[in-house]
mmCIF file of all heavy atoms in Angstrom:
data_model
loop_
_atom_site.group_PDB
_atom_site.id
_atom_site.type_symbol
_atom_site.label_atom_id
_atom_site.label_comp_id
_atom_site.label_asym_id
_atom_site.label_seq_id
_atom_site.Cartn_x
_atom_site.Cartn_y
_atom_site.Cartn_z
ATOM 1 N N ILE A 253 -115.969 -11.472 -113.063
ATOM 2 C CA ILE A 253 -114.825 -11.762 -113.920
ATOM 3 C C ILE A 253 -113.789 -12.613 -113.138
ATOM 4 O O ILE A 253 -113.224 -13.562 -113.668
ATOM 5 C CB ILE A 253 -114.215 -10.452 -114.411
ATOM 6 C CG1 ILE A 253 -115.148 -9.737 -115.380
ATOM 7 C CG2 ILE A 253 -112.862 -10.726 -115.116
ATOM 8 C CD1 ILE A 253 -114.717 -8.366 -115.776
ATOM 9 N N LEU A 254 -113.575 -12.232 -111.883
ATOM 10 C CA LEU A 254 -112.629 -12.962 -111.063
ATOM 11 C C LEU A 254 -113.119 -14.420 -110.827
ATOM 12 O O LEU A 254 -112.281 -15.343 -110.857
ATOM 13 C CB LEU A 254 -112.419 -12.267 -109.739
ATOM 14 C CG LEU A 254 -111.655 -10.921 -109.827
ATOM 15 C CD1 LEU A 254 -111.630 -10.271 -108.409
ATOM 16 C CD2 LEU A 254 -110.227 -11.143 -110.282
ATOM 17 N N ILE A 255 -114.392 -14.579 -110.570
ATOM 18 C CA ILE A 255 -114.923 -15.919 -110.330
ATOM 19 C C ILE A 255 -114.820 -16.786 -111.541
ATOM 20 O O ILE A 255 -114.333 -17.937 -111.532
ATOM 21 C CB ILE A 255 -116.360 -15.840 -109.816
ATOM 22 C CG1 ILE A 255 -116.406 -15.207 -108.407
ATOM 23 C CG2 ILE A 255 -116.997 -17.244 -109.770
ATOM 24 C CD1 ILE A 255 -117.796 -14.926 -107.914
ATOM 25 N N LEU A 256 -115.298 -16.233 -112.695
ATOM 26 C CA LEU A 256 -115.274 -17.006 -113.964
ATOM 27 C C LEU A 256 -113.834 -17.267 -114.401
ATOM 28 O O LEU A 256 -113.491 -18.404 -114.768
ATOM 29 C CB LEU A 256 -116.035 -16.274 -115.026
ATOM 30 C CG LEU A 256 -117.551 -16.166 -114.882
ATOM 31 C CD1 LEU A 256 -118.144 -15.328 -115.988
ATOM 32 C CD2 LEU A 256 -118.155 -17.556 -114.892
ATOM 33 N N GLY A 257 -113.000 -16.248 -114.341
ATOM 34 C CA GLY A 257 -111.601 -16.429 -114.733
ATOM 35 C C GLY A 257 -110.872 -17.376 -113.805
ATOM 36 O O GLY A 257 -110.113 -18.257 -114.262
ATOM 37 N N GLY A 258 -111.132 -17.245 -112.482
ATOM 38 C CA GLY A 258 -110.496 -18.133 -111.555
ATOM 39 C C GLY A 258 -110.916 -19.590 -111.766
ATOM 40 O O GLY A 258 -110.110 -20.502 -111.675
ATOM 41 N N GLY A 259 -112.218 -19.766 -112.030
ATOM 42 C CA GLY A 259 -112.731 -21.114 -112.286
ATOM 43 C C GLY A 259 -112.104 -21.734 -113.511
ATOM 44 O O GLY A 259 -111.732 -22.909 -113.533
ATOM 45 N N TYR A 260 -112.017 -20.911 -114.590
ATOM 46 C CA TYR A 260 -111.393 -21.402 -115.848
ATOM 47 C C TYR A 260 -109.903 -21.755 -115.661
ATOM 48 O O TYR A 260 -109.478 -22.816 -116.101
ATOM 49 C CB TYR A 260 -111.579 -20.392 -116.953
ATOM 50 C CG TYR A 260 -110.868 -20.751 -118.231
ATOM 51 C CD1 TYR A 260 -111.255 -21.811 -119.001
ATOM 52 C CD2 TYR A 260 -109.785 -20.008 -118.649
ATOM 53 C CE1 TYR A 260 -110.614 -22.164 -120.178
ATOM 54 C CE2 TYR A 260 -109.083 -20.328 -119.811
ATOM 55 C CZ TYR A 260 -109.507 -21.393 -120.554
ATOM 56 O OH TYR A 260 -108.840 -21.712 -121.707
ATOM 57 N N PHE A 261 -109.192 -20.869 -114.952
ATOM 58 C CA PHE A 261 -107.776 -21.114 -114.735
ATOM 59 C C PHE A 261 -107.582 -22.351 -113.821
ATOM 60 O O PHE A 261 -106.631 -23.121 -113.994
ATOM 61 C CB PHE A 261 -107.088 -19.893 -114.112
ATOM 62 C CG PHE A 261 -107.036 -18.737 -115.060
ATOM 63 C CD1 PHE A 261 -107.179 -17.443 -114.577
ATOM 64 C CD2 PHE A 261 -106.911 -18.901 -116.423
ATOM 65 C CE1 PHE A 261 -107.129 -16.329 -115.426
ATOM 66 C CE2 PHE A 261 -106.870 -17.823 -117.274
ATOM 67 C CZ PHE A 261 -106.997 -16.525 -116.797
ATOM 68 N N ALA A 262 -108.444 -22.515 -112.852
ATOM 69 C CA ALA A 262 -108.382 -23.720 -111.997
ATOM 70 C C ALA A 262 -108.598 -24.974 -112.819
ATOM 71 O O ALA A 262 -107.916 -25.987 -112.637
ATOM 72 C CB ALA A 262 -109.379 -23.596 -110.849
ATOM 73 N N LEU A 263 -109.569 -24.889 -113.752
ATOM 74 C CA LEU A 263 -109.831 -26.058 -114.625
ATOM 75 C C LEU A 263 -108.630 -26.341 -115.492
ATOM 76 O O LEU A 263 -108.253 -27.520 -115.751
ATOM 77 C CB LEU A 263 -111.060 -25.769 -115.476
ATOM 78 C CG LEU A 263 -111.477 -26.869 -116.467
ATOM 79 C CD1 LEU A 263 -111.780 -28.156 -115.702
ATOM 80 C CD2 LEU A 263 -112.707 -26.423 -117.283
ATOM 81 N N CYS A 264 -107.965 -25.281 -116.009
ATOM 82 C CA CYS A 264 -106.778 -25.461 -116.822
ATOM 83 C C CYS A 264 -105.655 -26.135 -116.009
ATOM 84 O O CYS A 264 -104.914 -27.012 -116.482
ATOM 85 C CB CYS A 264 -106.278 -24.139 -117.352
ATOM 86 S SG CYS A 264 -107.341 -23.441 -118.649
ATOM 87 N N MET A 265 -105.514 -25.732 -114.738
ATOM 88 C CA MET A 265 -104.499 -26.343 -113.900
ATOM 89 C C MET A 265 -104.804 -27.808 -113.617
ATOM 90 O O MET A 265 -103.895 -28.680 -113.582
ATOM 91 C CB MET A 265 -104.399 -25.552 -112.559
ATOM 92 C CG MET A 265 -103.873 -24.157 -112.743
ATOM 93 S SD MET A 265 -103.809 -23.230 -111.167
ATOM 94 C CE MET A 265 -102.514 -24.146 -110.316
ATOM 95 N N LEU A 266 -106.125 -28.139 -113.430
ATOM 96 C CA LEU A 266 -106.497 -29.518 -113.249
ATOM 97 C C LEU A 266 -106.182 -30.363 -114.486
ATOM 98 O O LEU A 266 -105.692 -31.497 -114.397
ATOM 99 C CB LEU A 266 -107.978 -29.608 -112.906
ATOM 100 C CG LEU A 266 -108.381 -29.174 -111.510
ATOM 101 C CD1 LEU A 266 -109.881 -29.189 -111.383
ATOM 102 C CD2 LEU A 266 -107.754 -30.054 -110.443
ATOM 103 N N MET A 267 -106.436 -29.785 -115.679
ATOM 104 C CA MET A 267 -106.092 -30.491 -116.908
ATOM 105 C C MET A 267 -104.576 -30.670 -117.008
ATOM 106 O O MET A 267 -104.086 -31.683 -117.461
ATOM 107 C CB MET A 267 -106.628 -29.711 -118.123
ATOM 108 C CG MET A 267 -108.149 -29.770 -118.270
ATOM 109 S SD MET A 267 -108.677 -29.177 -119.909
ATOM 110 C CE MET A 267 -108.119 -27.460 -119.843
ATOM 111 N N GLY A 268 -103.806 -29.671 -116.569
ATOM 112 C CA GLY A 268 -102.360 -29.787 -116.548
ATOM 113 C C GLY A 268 -101.870 -30.912 -115.653
ATOM 114 O O GLY A 268 -100.967 -31.623 -116.001
ATOM 115 N N CYS A 269 -102.578 -31.059 -114.475
ATOM 116 C CA CYS A 269 -102.240 -32.162 -113.564
ATOM 117 C C CYS A 269 -102.487 -33.516 -114.223
ATOM 118 O O CYS A 269 -101.709 -34.438 -114.150
ATOM 119 C CB CYS A 269 -103.023 -32.030 -112.272
ATOM 120 S SG CYS A 269 -102.576 -30.608 -111.263
ATOM 121 N N TRP A 270 -103.647 -33.582 -114.884
ATOM 122 C CA TRP A 270 -104.022 -34.845 -115.590
ATOM 123 C C TRP A 270 -102.990 -35.168 -116.656
ATOM 124 O O TRP A 270 -102.525 -36.341 -116.769
ATOM 125 C CB TRP A 270 -105.423 -34.702 -116.139
ATOM 126 C CG TRP A 270 -105.883 -35.840 -116.938
ATOM 127 C CD1 TRP A 270 -105.674 -36.116 -118.255
ATOM 128 C CD2 TRP A 270 -106.669 -37.002 -116.436
ATOM 129 N NE1 TRP A 270 -106.259 -37.343 -118.616
ATOM 130 C CE2 TRP A 270 -106.891 -37.854 -117.525
ATOM 131 C CE3 TRP A 270 -107.187 -37.307 -115.176
ATOM 132 C CZ2 TRP A 270 -107.579 -39.042 -117.369
ATOM 133 C CZ3 TRP A 270 -107.895 -38.477 -115.057
ATOM 134 C CH2 TRP A 270 -108.088 -39.359 -116.154
#
Side-chain angles (χ1 to χ4, degrees):
I253 293 172
L254 290 174
I255 292 173
L256 291 176
Y260 173 68
F261 294 146
L263 180 60
C264 288
M265 293 178 68
L266 287 175
M267 289 193 298
C269 292
W270 178 273

